[in-house]
Structures are given as structure tokens and as C-alpha cells.
């Protein structure tokens, strides 16, 4: 049998070695791809905390990737014409722009409001103590904000009171409930305004929407919705719930303000990205 030159044997051994390494590399890449695919399908779950009884296996968080922007029409001004006859025939967008001149006085009046309440049950009217600041732009109504979540036996439902001006909310909300007539007096030491029960998905975040409608400052709202620096998934989830609550309130009331939804969407995307990074 003819002998094979050593150079040919070495060449064949080298090719077999290269082929083995290529095959091994392919298997390794395939395994990594399979592992990454599995990770992409894993739902968000809390990391284990040695100081907590909650583990990743027992707590899962399911959130939408994006918050859809509601399709809204323009507000109807007819419901406000009775209280403000001069607004008849004027476009709502123009009225919103003109409100910028009155907002500083309105905000100052809201901050100076002192509520007089002596009943254990929610009345249909509430007294407001008048002073020089309040009299310049006295609120017209009092929102009693609540939700319909179940409450323990023996407990009372929590209600938060917010003084408001019908013109501000009426010009920004397409789904606002009909507000009763209100004629606050500016001459006496106190006045009464109607109480309007307002059921919302997230009463805890209504203060953000209330403040925004009176300031119209997206940068301030964005700062209020800045996500926490911590990488704890539970804290990020709580922050996401805050943004989601504001969004749900705005959608339910039909708030007409593109900049509001711009801020909500930007804050949501940032928070969801942070949650994915630490999950």
C-alpha cells in the first residue's frame, strides 16, 4: 500500500480540525439564539429581593407596550352658553387660547380656597370662604373624585375634593358630565358651589390632570412623570401605574390636548424601556 506523504496527512488533519470548530461554532450560535428567543418571551417579573417574600416566580407584571391616543372631536360649547352668553358662536379652540389670560388668577384662587364642611356625608353644595384672592376668580364647582373599587366592611369610601372652574374643564373635556348651574357670589364673606361626584379610574392621579389644565405647561408635567432612577422593577411598575392612571383619566374625560398625550406617551416609553432593561 503506497504511503501518504506527511504533508498531505497534516493538511487533512488541519481541515478536519477546522470543520470540527466550524460545526461547534454553529451549535453554539444556535444555542445562544434559542436562549435569546426564550428570554424575549419571558414576561416581566420582579427580581428576587432578600428582604421581601416576593419572588420573580410569584409576581408578574403585564403592561401594554404603548398607550393609544384617543380619537377625540371638539368640545361642545352649548352647555356653557347659558352661564356665558358671550361665548355663543365662538370656536372652542379660540376660547381655550383666551383662557391663558385668566389662568394665573384662577390658579391663585384655587390655592386660596378654604372649604367649609361639617357633615359626615357628601352634601350637594359646599361653602367656600371668600377672601380677596378667591373673589377675583371664584371656583364654580367642587369635584368629589372617587372610584368604585370595593371597600372593606365598616370603612367609608375615600373622596377627594377639587375646586374647579366650569370654563376650564368644559373647554378641555369632551366627556365631562353635565354640570349644574352655579352662580358664586363675590360680595359676601362666603359662597356655596355645587358638588359634582366624579367617578374616575385613578383618583390618585387626578391632581396631575387638574394642575395641567390650569398651567398648560407640558415641561412641568413631564418633570412630574420623570421615572425614578432606581432599577427596582416594583418601583418602576408603580411609576408606570401612575402614568397609566393619568392616561385613563384623560381618556375617560375626553381631554382635548395633544401636548398632554405627547407627555404621557414619552413618559410611558421611557418607563417601559427601563422595566425591560432590568427584567
Amino acid at each position: 500500500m503506497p504511503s501518504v506523504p506527511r504533508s498531505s496527512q497534516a493538511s487533512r488533519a488541519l481541515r478536519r480540525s477546522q470543520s470540527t470548530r466550524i460545526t461547534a461554532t454553529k451549535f453554539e450560535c444556535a444555542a445562544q439564539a434559542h436562549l435569546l428567543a426564550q428570554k424575549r418571551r419571558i414576561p416581566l417579573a420582579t427580581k428576587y429581593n432578600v428582604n421581601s417574600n416576593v419572588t420573580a416566580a410569584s409576581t408578574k407584571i403585564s403592561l401594554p407596550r404603548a398607550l393609544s391616543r384617543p380619537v377625540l372631536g371638539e368640545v361642545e360649547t352649548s352647555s356653557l352658553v347659558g352661564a356665558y352668553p358671550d361665548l355663543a358662536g365662538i370656536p372652542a379652540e379660540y376660547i381655550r387660547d383666551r383662557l391663558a389670560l385668566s389662568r394665573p388668577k384662577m390658579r391663585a384662587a384655587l390655592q386660596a380656597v378654604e372649604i367649609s364642611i361639617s357633615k359626615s356625608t357628601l352634601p350637594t353644595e359646599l361653602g367656600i370662604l371668600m377672601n380677596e384672592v378667591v373673589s377675583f376668580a371664584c371656583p364654580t364647582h367642587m369635584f368629589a373624585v372617587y372610584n368604585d373599587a370595593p371597600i372593606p366592611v365598616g370603612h367609608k369610601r375615600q373622596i377627594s375634593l377639587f375646586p374647579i372652574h366650569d370654563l376650564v374643564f368644559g373647554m378641555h373635556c369632551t366627556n365631562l358630565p353635565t354640570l349644574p348651574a352655579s352662580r358664586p357670589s363675590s360680595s359676601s364673606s362666603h359662597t356655596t358651589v355645587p358638588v359634582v361626584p366624579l367617578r374616575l379610574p385613578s383618583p390618585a392621579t387626578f391632581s396631575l390632570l387638574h394642575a395641567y389644565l390650569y398651567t398648560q405647561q407640558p415641561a412641568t408635567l413631564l418633570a412630574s412623570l420623570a421615572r425614578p432612577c432606581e432599577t427596582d422593577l416594583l418601583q418602576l411598575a408603580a411609576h408606570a401605574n401612575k402614568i397609566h392612571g393619568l392616561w385613563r383619566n384623560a381618556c375617560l374625560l375626553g381631554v382635548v390636548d395633544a401636548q398632554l398625550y405627547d407627555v404621557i406617551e414619552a413618559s410611558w416609553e421611557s418607563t417601559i424601556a427601563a422595566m425591560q432593561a432590568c427584567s
Side-chain angles (χ1 to χ4, degrees), residues 42-46 56 59-63 233 272 275-279:
I42 295 175
L44 292 174
T46 58
T59 302
K60 293 183 179 180
I61 303 167
S62 179
L63 296 171
L233 193 57
I272 294 299
M275 293 180 70
Q276 290 174 332
C278 72
S279 64

Side-chain angles (χ1 to χ4, degrees), residues 4-83:
V4 179
R6 290 185 177 181
S7 60
S8 296
Q9 291 176 345
S11 177
R12 290 174 183 173
L14 178 61
R15 285 197 297 271
R16 284 196 298 270
S17 175
Q18 290 175 338
S19 176
T20 301
R21 285 198 300 269
I22 291 173
T23 302
T25 301
K26 288 182 178 179
F27 278 121
E28 183 180 355
C29 291
Q32 289 180 350
H34 180 68
L35 180 60
L36 288 174
Q38 285 183 325
K39 286 185 177 181
R40 282 194 292 267
R41 290 195 294 268
I42 295 175
L44 292 174
T46 58
K47 293 182 178 178
Y48 180 74
N49 184 343
V50 295
N51 297 319
S52 172
N53 293 324
V54 180
T55 63
S58 63
T59 302
K60 293 183 179 180
I61 303 167
S62 179
L63 296 171
R65 291 276 182 177
L67 298 180
S68 59
R69 185 174 301 209
V71 179
L72 301 170
E74 188 53 275
V75 299
E76 292 288 341
T77 61
S78 57
S79 60
L80 293 171
V81 170

Side-chain angles (χ1 to χ4, degrees), residues 33 45-47 57 90 97 116 121-122 134 137 139 142 148 153-154 156 173-174 209 218 224 226 232 235 251 271 279:
T46 58
K47 293 182 178 178
I90 300 179
D97 290 339
S116 175
T121 57
L122 188 68
V134 174
M142 189 74 65
D148 55 1
V153 177
K156 292 185 177 181
C173 302
T174 61
L209 181 59
S224 300
D232 180 80
Q235 292 185 9
C251 291
T271 302
S279 64

Side-chain angles (χ1 to χ4, degrees), residues 51-229:
N51 297 319
S52 172
N53 293 324
V54 180
T55 63
S58 63
T59 302
K60 293 183 179 180
I61 303 167
S62 179
L63 296 171
R65 291 276 182 177
L67 298 180
S68 59
R69 185 174 301 209
V71 179
L72 301 170
E74 188 53 275
V75 299
E76 292 288 341
T77 61
S78 57
S79 60
L80 293 171
V81 170
Y84 305 95
D86 295 341
L87 300 183
I90 300 179
E93 185 176 3
Y94 177 81
I95 299 173
R96 284 194 294 270
D97 290 339
R98 298 297 294 175
L99 275 174
L101 301 175
S102 304
R103 285 196 188 100
K105 289 183 178 180
M106 288 180 171
R107 292 199 305 271
L110 294 182
Q111 294 171 356
V113 164
E114 295 182 30
I115 302 171
S116 175
I117 182 170
S118 58
K119 296 181 179 180
S120 58
T121 57
L122 188 68
T124 57
E125 290 184 335
L126 272 180
I128 293 180
L129 301 178
M130 297 295 288
N131 55 48
E132 185 177 354
V133 178
V134 174
S135 63
F136 272 115
C138 185
T140 60
H141 296 79
M142 189 74 65
F143 277 165
V145 178
Y146 70 101
N147 64 15
D148 55 1
I151 56 176
V153 177
H155 290 70
K156 292 185 177 181
R157 187 173 301 281
Q158 289 190 343
I159 295 176
S160 300
L161 298 176
F162 291 86
I164 65 105
H165 297 86
D166 54 4
L167 199 55
V168 172
F169 277 82
M171 286 296 105
H172 286 91
C173 302
T174 61
N175 299 331
L176 194 70
T178 302
L179 302 180
S182 177
R183 296 288 187 274
S185 171
S186 59
S187 58
S188 61
S189 60
H190 74 280
T191 189
T192 57
V193 297
V195 175
V196 181
L198 186 64
R199 185 176 65 183
L200 293 177
S202 176
T205 62
F206 180 70
S207 59
L208 292 172
L209 181 59
H210 183 271
Y212 176 76
L213 293 182
Y214 278 93
T215 61
Q216 292 291 292
Q217 295 178 355
T220 301
L221 179 61
L222 187 62
S224 300
L225 296 178
R227 65 178 177 81
C229 296

